[in-house]
Amino acid sequence: MSDATPNTAHAQQARRLLLRHVLKALPEVVKDVTTLLDKLPEPGESSDKVQLTETLRRTWLTQALPWQRAAGQRLLGQGASTTSGSPLSSELRLLDEEDVELQILAGRLAQTLAAPAQDEFNDLRLRLQHLEQIDELPSNDTVLPVHLAQAVLGAWTEVELTRDDWHHVHAVVEPRLSNAFNEACHLANAWLLQQGVLPHIDLRALVRRGRDGALPGSPTPQEAPATRGAAPAGAPV
């Protein structure tokens, strides 16, 4: 790594920029879920499914805004921890079936969020590692897709929405959050580029880390200009 003093201020500002952008998507998620529930149930659904939909619609009317607030607080690290003392706890303890299922849901959501943002996130990850002179981001770093997934689902259970409720609506939640995360990574990269942070990214470093198991599917080694993070002047800070 470089002998330069780590620029933690730039790294933390990039993280804040990413989180603020994702946070802006939460009201849109609430609207998307409300719109979906207003259209359900589909014609011909069983009476049981009609009843489940009606129950969820009534629950969502009262819990949508509490969920939005709780998810935002968790996203910014201001609410209940998503790594301890919650249904998504990573503490060494016996997990019941509900805990295990929530862990699985969080993992799936994190993969869904990461897929479209892979290139932008890889660039952002390398820039943050460069600034902080570290070989890998910590497992609890707030820019990781799993952090967003845990915030969303931790808040979901906090306001007593269920896994079945999630299965009803996840198809409209995931695209909104995936797009927001991809845009957020792009904005963070653009801001770091404006500060002169790694204008050229050595993709060979990415390949080396991929061989260590950190990131499967690494690109071909090459020296690439960091054009993905480019954005018009005046990107938000």
Side-chain angles (χ1 to χ4, degrees):
M1 303 298 295
S2 168
D3 291 331
T5 303
N7 194 334
T8 55
H10 278 14
Q12 291 307 315
Q13 178 62 17
R15 288 183 172 92
R16 286 191 293 270
L17 179 60
L18 182 147
L19 293 173
R20 286 201 301 265
H21 188 76
V22 173
L23 191 64
K24 292 177 182 178
L26 296 181
E28 297 305 315
V29 171
V30 169
K31 292 179 183 178
D32 291 343
V33 172
T34 301
T35 299
L36 174 67
L37 293 176
D38 285 343
K39 294 177 180 178
L40 295 177
E42 299 287 348
E45 294 284 11
S46 67
S47 58
D48 286 347
K49 194 157 187 180
V50 170
Q51 182 59 48
L52 286 172
T53 301
E54 291 297 332
T55 300
L56 175 54
R57 184 183 290 112
R58 289 194 299 270
T59 302
W60 185 248
L61 284 174
T62 60
Q63 298 302 89
L65 292 182
W67 170 79
Q68 180 184 324
R69 287 193 295 268
Q73 289 170 350
R74 286 169 175 262
L75 190 66
L76 299 176
Q78 298 169 348
S81 172
T82 57
T83 56
S84 63
S86 78
L88 300 175
S89 174
S90 62
E91 293 177 339
L92 295 178
R93 59 183 177 84
L94 293 176
L95 298 178
D96 61 24
E97 183 179 353
E98 185 71 11
D99 291 329
V100 172
E101 290 298 326
L102 286 170
Q103 297 270 15
I104 292 170
L105 284 181
R108 288 174 181 168
L109 179 57
Q111 290 177 348
T112 300
L113 298 174
Q118 183 176 20
D119 290 340
E120 289 284 358
F121 179 74
N122 286 341
D123 289 357
L124 178 60
R125 180 170 65 87
L126 290 176
R127 288 191 172 101
L128 294 176
Q129 289 169 192
H130 169 78
L131 284 170
E132 297 180 327
Q133 297 186 336
I134 55 177
D135 291 328
E136 295 295 339
L137 296 180
S139 61
N140 63 344
D141 199 298
T142 56
V143 301
L144 295 175
V146 71
H147 173 70
L148 173 55
Q150 289 179 335
V152 167
L153 287 167
W156 194 263
T157 60
E158 180 182 330
V159 299
E160 299 184 353
L161 291 162
T162 68
R163 285 190 290 114
D164 285 340
D165 296 337
W166 175 256
H167 289 309
H168 268 79
V169 304
H170 75 93
V172 298
V173 177
E174 290 171 352
R176 178 72 67 180
L177 292 178
S178 295
N179 185 58
F181 182 67
N182 187 29
E183 290 177 349
C185 290
H186 176 79
L187 288 173
N189 274 314
W191 185 79
L192 288 173
L193 273 172
Q194 290 179 349
Q195 315 313 308
V197 179
L198 281 188
H200 294 272
I201 288 190
D202 184 1
L203 296 183
R204 289 170 296 187
L206 190 60
V207 171
R208 286 195 295 273
R209 290 189 172 91
R211 281 199 291 262
D212 292 336
L215 184 67
S218 301
T220 303
Q222 56 182 307
E223 188 79 17
T227 54
R228 284 191 292 267
V237 177

